[in-house]
Amino acid sequence: MDVSGATPQSGGRVFWRLRDGARRSGVRVRQFARDPVAQFRRNVEQLPFDYPVSTVVLIDVVLLVVSTAALIQRFSYFPSVVPVLAVVLTYLNGPLYAFLGLSPKPWLMALLTMSATALFMSQPVDVDVAPFILICAAGEIAAITPLLISVVVAAAMAAEVALFAVLGNFETGTPPYLVGILCGWMAGRALQAQTKYLNQERAYQDIRTSQATDEERRRIAREVHDVIAHSLSITLLHVTAARHALQTDRDVDDAVDALTDAERLGRQAMADIRRTVGLLDQRPAPQTPEPGLDDLGDLIADFVGAGMEVDFRVDGDICGVSPGLGLALYRISQESLANVAKHAPGASARLRIEVSARDIAVTVTNTLPTGAAQRPGRGMGISGMRQRARMHGGGLSAGPCEDGWQVQARIPFSGQPIDCAATAAEDSVWSMIHSMKRKRQESRTEPASTPQTPRESV
């Protein structure tokens, strides 16, 4: 066994991870320094908990007010640094996420807030507000964790308050503090249930919108069918009458009248069709081109800049991919990476695009998340990707693999590279032109090779 060779390799991996982490942290610090408000909003929107930015800001403001009030209450202990350290611990989770990219974890949030409260209550004061930190933290943790974990955390916080009450750090207020922790936990659970039902309502709204869209398409199709069937039938009857008038009776006036009626009905039918089909295009058309495979580099750069580790590679020639197929592959890659960022925080992703003579495949694989279990998805993203693949005659599969989760779409692909197709088309056009020139020259040289007649010699 080569035991000595394992240590340098593991040490090298640790070194590279530390260096990548330091680089990403430096990028986050510079981005936060340039525009703190926008960067904070972006960080909150990347959280996997699906809560509005205003809700997160409200919780942070409440914690700031409570910890500052607890700090001011302990002015008699100054110049002790214990209350200042407690305030730092209360807000330590924010810099860890903003600068180091560490997603908020329930156990870390509980540890920091309980430690901060313990430091505050180690210096007892009258009518202490420090336990309100536990009340806020209990609600925050209950809003982002499963029921069992939130119950355990709330019980641990209540036990901490009861322990300091037994030690005599505060004589009054213990029952209200315990009831406050219970109320905070209930508020967090209510917020989580509200968000769950809101997501379900969004899913139902998407289904209702899709059903309404399909019904509107069917109605428009029926109207177009009725307009075309009615107008064309009568128009053809008038055209037939005009033909008979000209063929049999040689009556030009009747033919003109029939053709005039046919023209009028045709114009009316065109106006009806334009008005009906115009219902499909009421929204303004986008001014920018749709993304394709050439834009995957910018897409991956955005995820890497946000802190995700992405390994990207393309095997084969993608220059023959049509814009529609390129858009579908781009959207599938985008949705898969977004799902990794939302449902597997801290996981690394691998994106592979393989082009062969028969099909083109995009595979997105991610490792298991390093954080706590997050809210399960609604399934709309996977169904949307599967629908995009089916539109091009392919299929999509998503599910766990041996080391994480994998999404793979495979779409038939029979196109040749665009450059080659353009060259073949150009060669065919030039060959046709040369052939026409050759035939023209032969037709011109044919009379010169024939013997001249007496008229031509004159």
Side-chain angles (χ1 to χ4, degrees), residues 102-124:
L102 297 178
S103 180
K105 298 176 176 58
W107 64 267
L108 182 60
M109 296 168 59
L111 179 63
L112 292 177
T113 53
M114 292 179 65
S115 300
T117 306
L119 291 178
F120 276 129
M121 290 191 297
S122 64
Q123 298 177 341

Side-chain angles (χ1 to χ4, degrees), residues 198-274:
L198 178 60
N199 292 330
Q200 291 180 354
E201 180 61 27
R202 289 174 179 172
Y204 295 151
Q205 183 64 31
D206 292 339
I207 295 175
R208 288 193 292 267
T209 302
S210 178
Q211 292 176 349
T213 302
D214 293 339
E215 180 61 29
E216 183 66 13
R217 288 176 178 173
R218 286 191 292 268
R219 185 185 69 82
I220 294 174
R222 288 194 300 268
E223 291 185 3
V224 172
H225 175 269
D226 294 341
V227 169
I228 292 177
H230 172 74
S231 301
L232 285 184
S233 298
I234 299 180
T235 302
L236 289 176
L237 288 177
H238 283 292
V239 172
T240 303
R243 181 175 59 82
H244 280 294
L246 292 175
Q247 283 182 345
T248 59
D249 301 334
R250 303 295 180 179
D251 192 346
V252 179
D253 294 335
D254 291 343
V256 170
D257 293 339
L259 292 176
T260 301
D261 292 338
E263 180 182 6
R264 178 180 56 81
L265 290 172
R267 293 183 184 276
Q268 182 180 354
M270 288 298 299
D272 293 339
I273 292 174
R274 287 194 185 99

Side-chain angles (χ1 to χ4, degrees), residues 321-399:
V321 178
S322 63
L325 179 57
L327 174 61
L329 297 175
Y330 179 93
R331 294 303 187 195
I332 292 174
S333 303
Q334 182 184 40
E335 179 67 23
S336 300
L337 294 176
N339 287 339
V340 175
K342 186 172 184 178
H343 301 294
S348 60
R350 184 173 67 251
L351 173 59
R352 294 288 184 270
I353 295 180
E354 300 173 355
V355 182
S356 64
R358 293 181 301 175
D359 56 16
I360 180 170
V362 54
T363 305
V364 180
T365 307
N366 64 276
T367 58
L368 295 176
T370 58
Q374 307 299 339
R375 177 182 57 81
R378 294 175 292 161
M380 299 300 295
I382 294 179
S383 62
M385 291 188 293
R386 183 173 288 113
Q387 184 178 5
R388 287 185 179 275
R390 288 176 179 174
M391 286 174 59
H392 295 273
L396 183 138
S397 61

